[in-house]
Amino acid sequence: MKLKINNVRISLLKETDLKDAAARKAGRKSLDGITVLHMAVDARKKSDICLNFHILADVGLSSSQVKKILRNKDISLY
């Protein structure tokens, strides 16, 4: 199953793996695979510049897990 995860934010001040950040946003421990659909730089706060990603993620989920994950407004089925 493929999920689109919007607004995965990575700060330039900390070393963070994109796959781990996307999994955390989806409430999972790991994701099978990810594809970057869109990337933008958020420089509104000069002291904390972030990269903002929209991700396409492959996950194996049951129907009850899907309902729980889709409560997040930044996650949708693809």
Side-chain angles (χ1 to χ4, degrees):
M1 175 177 300
K2 294 191 181 228
L3 296 176
K4 183 178 178 188
I5 306 171
N6 296 324
N7 301 321
V8 178
R9 299 173 65 85
I10 304 290
S11 175
L12 293 180
L13 300 176
K14 302 174 189 170
E15 281 191 38
T16 306
D17 186 30
L18 180 60
K19 194 171 183 178
D20 292 339
R24 222 177 314 116
K25 178 93 175 191
R28 310 279 299 165
K29 291 185 180 182
S30 65
L31 298 173
D32 296 334
I34 63 169
T35 304
V36 175
L37 298 175
H38 180 76
M39 183 191 81
V41 177
D42 183 1
R44 291 178 288 181
K45 295 180 183 175
K46 302 301 180 202
S47 61
D48 186 25
I49 297 174
C50 296
L51 298 176
N52 191 4
F53 293 92
H54 293 204
I55 305 280
L56 182 63
D58 292 324
V59 292
L61 299 171
S62 67
S63 60
S64 62
Q65 292 172 326
V66 170
K67 288 179 184 179
K68 183 179 177 183
I69 286 178
L70 291 179
R71 290 180 192 154
N72 187 333
K73 64 179 176 80
D74 289 331
I75 300 175
S76 60
L77 289 175
Y78 189 79

